Amino acid sequence: MTHEHIKALDNLIAAVEGGAFLLGAIKGRLEDKAYDAFFGSLDAAKALHEALLPGWAWEIMTINYPEKTSYVVMLKGRKVRDLMASGNQNPARAWLIAILKAYRAQVDAS
């Protein structure tokens, strides 16, 4: 992955965490899946997860607060250090954030 792609991925992670989506960080159908996950598609989040993080387990948990419900997604890879979590009020977006962060961590590890 080139430096430009890594920077675009970092920018996408920051944007999604902030409530926006930036095009261009992921190419082709995967970008379509990420976009759909951003807007709430759990099917798209699952497809993106399977494409970028094959073999990683996932779990979505619900946390109920008096004023809102939040979702936390835990991802677990094959190694102990392969663990990623994220939270958001939209479960698909929480999953998307976790996927992007785990994928970015794998880029650093390689």
Side-chain angles (χ1 to χ4, degrees):
M1 187 175 271
T2 68
H3 178 70
E4 291 81 24
H5 287 107
I6 292 170
K7 185 164 178 55
L9 183 57
D10 289 340
N11 290 339
L12 176 59
I13 292 167
V16 171
E17 287 182 317
F21 190 88
L22 298 176
L23 297 173
I26 303 172
K27 299 297 180 193
R29 287 193 60 229
L30 293 181
E31 183 170 73
D32 293 344
K33 296 296 180 195
Y35 183 83
D36 290 345
F38 178 82
F39 285 103
S41 171
L42 288 168
D43 290 337
K46 184 175 187 286
L48 186 67
H49 175 105
E50 291 170 350
L52 294 179
L53 303 170
W56 283 57
W58 56 273
E59 180 179 1
I60 299 176
M61 296 167 278
T62 305
I63 300 173
N64 292 309
Y65 298 103
E67 68 280 357
K68 66 179 178 180
T69 297
S70 188
Y71 300 90
V72 174
V73 176
M74 298 287 297
L75 303 181
K76 174 73 174 81
R78 293 184 184 103
K79 300 174 186 160
V80 173
R81 70 176 183 270
D82 291 342
L83 180 65
M84 191 59 57
S86 71
N88 194 281
Q89 289 181 281
N90 178 319
R93 195 175 296 176
W95 197 353
L96 173 62
I97 293 166
I99 291 166
L100 294 173
K101 287 182 172 184
Y103 182 68
R104 176 64 173 89
Q106 284 188 328
V107 168
D108 282 342
S110 60

